[in-house]
Amino acid sequence: MRSRAALFLESLILTLLLLLPMIGVVQFFAVQRRQQEELRQANAADSGVVVDPGSKVVRTVLTAVQQENPAFVLVRVDAPAAAITFCALPGSMQVAAPAGTTTLADCYLTAGPARAVQLLGETVGAQPDRYLAATPAVLAGLWPEGITARLDTAAYLTEDAREQKGLTDQTVLEIPPATAETALADLGADQTAPTAARLRAGYWCALFRQHPEQLPELVSGLRSAASRTLTDLPAQELNELEQAFRYLAGLPEITVDTEALPFTSQPGGEWELTEDGAEELRGLLGTSETQEFQAQPSA
């Protein structure tokens, strides 16, 4: 009869024969998992893929030019699409109001840019993200001295209008920002309000398209002129716009263009946006007709 020691030894050997393979399997999978994690981290580090925060920014800003007859340009910055779009809105554009209708300019002059944005939104079913109001001098000061923009008047004026202004042979004008308002007022004289407004949008478009390297500095200029502007752009969104401009300025090519909306003439020199124009504006603002617009309560 075997001794207890022999039985214990046999039991121990059998136990080890069962446990050792299991321990080996567990150790094998642990090593494999660690190696896979190290490989994943190494691949991520080697790829060098860094998402530029500016590449995600999409913002629409209604910019108002503060003067006796206010002017309005809607600016859409769409970094994912590598595009900047300018859309002129004449000050005599009709917008909905509690008592009926008013114009964008009258609303701005009596109640300020925030109210103008609100009524614009209630009129078309979508509103700009933010507003910015500044005088022509402040807006011109955002650009460095020596900068000019080449404006092709043939894209905005009829042949007869260009002939009256002596622009038949030379349609392209080179205009610095400092004198832009005077030049645009002269070009827009005797033209319809939508045409005069499109001239301004066209000039801003030319500035941005021809000088993309200056885009990041525009936000710095806005910060410096903060005491002379009206805006609801918070500091965080200004930073985001600066990142977007820096991102766009670094791309090999961006799309900078204007969008002209159709209007119909109304009595008293006012202009009403057509149904197609309202749909185009909603698209520019990033809101489709099927999306419900939550208008703020009217004052």
Side-chain angles (χ1 to χ4, degrees):
M1 187 173 180
R2 289 180 293 177
S3 64
R4 292 182 178 179
L7 290 174
F8 173 78
L9 183 59
E10 289 177 2
S11 299
L12 179 61
I13 292 174
L14 289 173
T15 301
L16 292 176
L17 288 175
L18 292 173
L19 289 177
L20 287 176
M22 295 177 63
I23 295 173
V25 170
V26 172
Q27 181 66 20
F28 172 78
F29 282 112
V31 171
Q32 288 293 313
R33 183 175 180 180
R34 185 175 65 252
Q35 290 177 344
Q36 289 176 358
E37 180 64 19
E38 292 175 351
L39 181 61
R40 185 190 65 78
Q41 294 177 357
N43 288 337
D46 292 340
S47 66
V49 177
V50 178
V51 178
D52 190 322
S55 66
K56 302 178 180 180
V57 176
V58 179
R59 195 76 75 245
T60 56
V61 180
L62 181 65
T63 306
V65 183
Q66 292 177 322
Q67 50 191 1
E68 184 177 355
N69 296 313
F72 304 89
V73 179
L74 183 69
V75 184
R76 178 179 175 85
V77 179
D78 189 341
I84 302 175
T85 306
F86 298 88
C87 180
L89 301 177
S92 51
M93 170 186 172
Q94 286 184 342
V95 292
T101 62
T102 184
T103 66
L104 198 58
D106 286 343
C107 175
Y108 172 83
L109 291 172
T110 58
R115 182 64 168 160
V117 166
Q118 181 188 345
L119 293 190
L120 177 63
E122 294 178 356
T123 301
V124 302
Q127 71 178 40
D129 299 314
R130 300 295 179 187
Y131 64 79
L132 169 69
T135 64
V138 169
L139 295 173
L142 301 179
W143 300 87
E145 293 185 9
I147 286 286
T148 62
R150 297 179 301 279
L151 177 66
D152 185 3
T153 59
Y156 307 97
L157 299 177
T158 65
E159 185 176 352
D160 289 342
R162 296 197 309 275
E163 184 177 357
Q164 292 176 4
K165 298 180 183 303
L167 298 172
T168 303
D169 298 327
Q170 186 177 2
T171 63
V172 178
L173 298 178
E174 194 159 356
I175 307 172
T179 61
E181 278 303 314
T182 301
L184 294 173
D186 179 65
L187 289 172
D190 302 323
Q191 304 301 309
T192 65
T195 298
R198 289 168 193 155
L199 280 165
R200 178 173 286 98
Y203 178 74
W204 288 15
C205 177
L207 267 176
F208 277 61
R209 181 189 296 149
Q210 295 165 22
H211 303 287
E213 74 286 350
Q214 293 296 327
L215 297 185
E217 304 305 320
L218 296 180
V219 177
S220 298
L222 284 175
R223 291 195 186 96
S224 299
S227 62
R228 294 173 290 154
T229 60
L230 291 174
T231 184
D232 61 347
L233 274 164
Q236 177 59 33
E237 291 190 22
L238 273 176
N239 292 338
E240 291 173 356
L241 273 178
E242 185 173 35
Q243 291 172 340
F245 282 148
R246 197 171 302 281
Y247 167 75
L248 292 170
L251 295 179
E253 184 176 359
I254 61 175
T255 300
V256 184
D257 211 342
T258 62
E259 184 162 343
L261 303 178
F263 289 87
T264 57
S265 178
Q266 300 296 310
E270 297 182 1
W271 292 82
E272 182 182 15
L273 197 61
T274 66
E275 291 185 6
D276 289 342
E279 178 63 27
E280 290 179 29
L281 185 53
R282 279 191 292 270
L284 189 63
L285 291 168
T287 303
S288 67
E289 194 171 23
T290 58
Q291 291 176 305
E292 183 178 359
F293 170 68
Q294 300 294 335
Q296 300 176 12
S298 298

